């Protein structure tokens, strides 16, 4: 499971705990801190838990950095991590820092829960609908952004994507990775979710297969739709890497994949986009739960939903507004 659930000796409570860490994947140290924190908390959110009692930070500072680099980068990473924790209603109270060949950042999230505060990821039923709350393609976007400075790699994909499109996709990926799955976790209770997981290192197919194995009922998951950051599917194809359309491309701090009753799924997708939860929350129906032997698969030709980066939408909106204002009044 995404988090361990340990029954405590007192009062029917459970300790729910998770840990995660990884290497930097974006250039901005502050955003890297936010992403690392969001990624740790996501394992709690995947169980419908919206509160976290305590966080620890795990930080490794690279021995190859100069003193000046270390003094600039490290406080920004720590601030990003702390700010995201605060947004999640929790605080970082300790941790461990070491010197290492590589930069590593991550943490531990801990909460003590009553049984009604978490949703065990094992109750999907035939007829349920699969919903995903963030677009796929973060690994492709991050790598493509690095390839802008690598002519050999860039030449393989420049026929299918522009430099500007890569920049916008990278910004979108960074924003999505830093967005907490907390709102989705709360709505899992509102709309009677039966099971969920978060999409990270094993890609949407790997995590779907893992979730399917946990189910008490004899069910299988079938994925028909893949919401992907715009142009990332084309880059995946042109580069011959990642396996994005096969569902094996790794994600970082990805969305929740949630099994919802059929009659609730569309309402969940509509509700999460409400302005009362702030900007940036999205959701798509991506598949179904059918009778089966606890497996998951993506159909041969899934429908790719090209998710436009917010920068594109903002530009289009500004263009529409300027056109409207420049039209002569009759």
């Amino acid at each position: 499971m995404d988090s361990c659930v340990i029954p405590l000796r007192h009062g029917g409570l459970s300790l729910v705990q998770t840990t995660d860490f990884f290497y930097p994947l974006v250039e901005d140290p502050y955003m890297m801190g936010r992403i690392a924190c969001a990624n740790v908390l996501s394992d709690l959110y995947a169980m419908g838990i919206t509160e976290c009692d305590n966080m620890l930070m795990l930080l490794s500072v690279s021995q190859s950095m100069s003193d000046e680099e270390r003094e600039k980068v490290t406080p920004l990473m720590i601030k990003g991590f702390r700010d995201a924790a605060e947004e999640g209603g929790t605080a970082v109270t300790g941790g461990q820092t070491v010197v290492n060949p590589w930069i590593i950042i991550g943490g531990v999230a801990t909460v003590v829960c009553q049984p009604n505060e978490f949703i065990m990821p094992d109750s999907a039923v035939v007829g349920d609908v699969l919903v995903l709350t963030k677009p796929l393609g973060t690994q492709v976007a991050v790598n493509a952004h690095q390839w802008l400075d690598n002519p050999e790699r860039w030449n393989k994909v420049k026929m299918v994507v522009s430099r500007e499109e890569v920049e916008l996709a990278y910004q979108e990926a960074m924003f999505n990775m830093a967005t907490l799955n907390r709102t989705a976790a709360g709505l899992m209770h509102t709309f009677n979710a039966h099971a969920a997981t978060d999409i990270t290192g094993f890609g949407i197919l790997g995590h779907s297969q893992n979730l399917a194995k946990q189910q008490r009922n004899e069910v299988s998951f079938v994925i028909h739709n893949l919401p992907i950051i715009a142009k990332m599917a084309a880059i995946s194809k042109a580069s011959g890497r990642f396996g994005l359309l096969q569902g094996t491309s790794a994600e970082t701090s990805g969305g929740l994949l949630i099994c919802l009753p059929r009659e609730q799924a569309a309402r969940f997708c509509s509700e999460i986009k409400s302005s009362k939860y702030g900007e940036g929350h999205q959701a798509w129906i991506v598949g179904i739960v059918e009778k089966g032997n606890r497996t998951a698969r993506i159909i041969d030709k899934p429908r790719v939903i090209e998710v436009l980066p917010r920068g594109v939408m903002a530009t289009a909106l500004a263009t529409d507004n300027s056109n409207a204002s420049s039209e002569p009044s009759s």
Side-chain angles (χ1 to χ4, degrees), residues 15-81:
L15 177 76
V16 184
Q17 194 167 54
T18 182
T19 185
D20 211 339
F21 62 86
F22 50 73
Y23 308 106
L25 69 167
V26 298
E27 292 172 352
D28 183 329
Y30 174 80
M31 288 301 290
M32 192 60 239
R34 287 198 76 107
I35 291 165
C37 184
N39 192 60
V40 173
L41 287 170
S42 190
D43 287 333
L44 294 185
Y45 298 147
M47 299 191 68
I49 294 168
T50 58
E51 305 302 324
C52 175
D53 290 332
N54 183 54
M55 291 197 80
L56 303 175
M57 190 187 310
L58 305 172
L59 187 62
S60 155
V61 182
S62 173
Q63 61 199 27
S64 62
M65 295 169 81
S66 68
D67 288 348
E68 186 184 9
E69 287 169 335
R70 207 175 290 174
E71 284 165 16
K72 281 186 177 173
V73 168
T74 310
L76 286 168
M77 289 172 72
I78 291 170
K79 180 169 170 43
F81 196 100

Side-chain angles (χ1 to χ4, degrees), residues 48 50 119 123 125 127-131 133 182-196 258-274 276-277 283:
T50 58
I119 297 169
S123 301
V125 298
D128 276 357
V129 171
L130 301 173
V131 166
T133 66
R182 193 182 188 193
T183 298
L187 293 177
M188 282 171 61
H189 294 270
T190 309
F191 294 100
N192 193 29
H194 291 152
I258 308 170
C259 301
L260 287 161
R262 184 187 297 274
E263 66 277 8
Q264 302 279 32
R267 289 171 57 206
F268 177 99
C269 292
S270 173
E271 178 66 15
I272 200 169
K273 294 171 192 170
S274 167
K276 67 185 170 190
Y277 301 116

